[in-house]
Amino acid sequence: MLSTMNDAPLSIAQLLRHGSTVHGTADVVTWTESGARRRSYAEVGKRCAALAHALRDLGIDGDQRVATFMWNNAEHLEAYLAVPSMGAVLHTLNIRLFPDQLIHVANHAEDRVIIVDASLIPLLSPQLPHLTTVEHLIVTGSSTDDIDAPDGVHVHSYEKLLEGKPEVFEWPEVNERSAAAMCYTSGTTGDPKGVAYSHRSIYLHSMQVCSSDGPNLTQGDRALTVVPQFHAMSWGLPYAAFMIGASLIMPDRFLQPAPLAELIAAERPTFAAAVPTIWQGLHLYLEQHPQDISSMREVLIGGSAVPPSLMHTFEHDHGVPVLHAWGMTETSPLGSVARPPAGTTGDEMWKYRYTQGRFPASVQARLVDDNDDLVPHDGTSIGELEVRGPWITTSYYGIDAPEKFHDGWLRTGDVGTITPDGYLTLSDRTKDIIKSGGEWISSVDLENAVMGHPAVAEAAVIGIPDDKWDERPLVAVVLRHDTDTTLAELQQYLSDKVAKWQLPENWTLIEEVPKTSVGKFDKKQLRAQFQDGNLDITRI
Ligand code: ADP
């Protein structure tokens, strides 16, 4: 028997219509050199209609790709909403990709239009002659006069294009399974690969962002979205904000600790999201420049494992609870979220919060071993995590990658355990785990332990070749400026925190841990520095 229910398609246009009317007074705040500029969701709605008319006039009448090369700001939000709503596909280009990678992804996605922030023109311009499908460049912000575009590429001012355009647009009904947006992985462990999100997947994922067993974005929240709009769709926050009526606070290009602190003081966000390195930087800054940041009732941190020391610091020094989450570009990106079971307190509660968390009902997770046999969810057996669900990708755009999928499940490349009540604890990425004498050492566990020392600003651990044990850990440490702690003292500090055979004997002091285009520790680069003999290693 079939149900009697309406099968109305889920779409981005629904989110746009809903947010710009029902929540028309919510607003998007964009940070600038001279403070905040604001735009209500009602205004955003009208400007989205105008943008859609402008893009139609430029020939966007189907599923052509409209790319963005932008910071997080109001105009980027307009592109997020207008492009999919008109039936085209939004492609968020990562502004920090290497030039070759940028050229590759823009050509691979066949981007027809690029909307670019004026401040990013110098980064994009050198690549323009190599972009084979781009016909239009739409520049937000200041004047377009000084752009030297190649033949065949028309340059427009965003504001001039919108001027005089109708403030309503008849959003077409789309197939909910068609692509709404695409994002390429940031290439931390390989070449960028494209993931195409559907209207349906984004809609369902937005509901999860607003769910109380997820990030719990709530009506009236003021969400500071530091995570870039080109990094896994800003973790779904812009769409969820339009669904629920949360205002958005966009930092634009002001991502350093000082302006972020200023932005938090001025705009008093209630919620925020970013990778751990951003929060670590903000914490170190606040130590020198104390300030109340407790308007944030919770901050969502993911993208890399959150060191427990960072969670405690935020909660105890700043009164801001950290919510640890796991996700990938391929998973929209949520993912598991570490909400402890109801009623847990004290150490037991913390134990749950350190984990990568539980999966929502819509996402299934399992662990498999090297032979692809299932590993029990007993909290101790280790396997590679595989996931599937309505917002998890089942392929990459335009390429075959059979090694990344397994009977319809996504192989995540992450290794860990799952407890009987569903809590995931990741020990590592398969490529980062250290194989020492036939046993595995988790680079993440070592990093967390080292970063628990108050003299340590950052620490990253990689495996290096060892004649006797195959591999041994090398700890690359950034010490705080105001300390005279030695590496031997750090090793001593670890001695009761990790098993004796795991205790690292190779240490190196560095100025900064190299970061990826989305602000994660770049272990590929660290390994290259080691191989090139550029790390000064102390054996203890
Ligand atoms: P890239 O793969 O290029 O880094 P993604 O942002 O999609 O881009 O990265 C997803 C990966 O980030 C995951 O597979 C996992 O290795 C890592 N990751 C994300 N969240 C966490 C977390 N909370 N703890 C540990 N690792 C995480």
Side-chain angles (χ1 to χ4, degrees), residues 84 132 288 303 309 336 406 436 463 478 480 491 516 525 528:
T132 51
Q288 303 301 318
S309 51
S336 55
H406 175 203
S436 173
V478 182
R480 297 169 53 124
Q491 194 204 40
T516 70
Q525 210 178 316

Side-chain angles (χ1 to χ4, degrees), residues 185-188 231 302-305 324-330 356 412 414 426 429 520:
T185 60
S186 52
T188 305
H231 182 201
S304 311
H324 187 193
W326 169 92
M328 305 172 71
T329 303
E330 290 87 335
Q356 272 72 17
T412 64
D414 289 326
L426 288 185
R429 284 190 166 188
K520 303 184 190 191

Side-chain angles (χ1 to χ4, degrees), residues 94 184-192 197 231-232 235 275-276 301-306 324-331 333 336 354-357 385 404 411-415 424 426-430 432 444 516-518 520-521:
N94 181 338
Y184 281 70
T185 60
S186 52
T188 305
T189 54
D191 279 337
Y197 309 108
H231 182 201
W235 298 353
V275 293
I301 312 189
S304 311
V306 182
H324 187 193
W326 169 92
M328 305 172 71
T329 303
E330 290 87 335
T331 67
S336 55
Y354 297 154
T355 71
Q356 272 72 17
L385 174 68
K404 292 288 295 178
R411 293 186 197 267
T412 64
D414 289 326
V415 173
L424 168 74
L426 288 185
S427 25
D428 238 323
R429 284 190 166 188
T430 40
D432 293 337
V444 174
T516 70
S517 64
V518 293
K520 303 184 190 191
F521 288 172

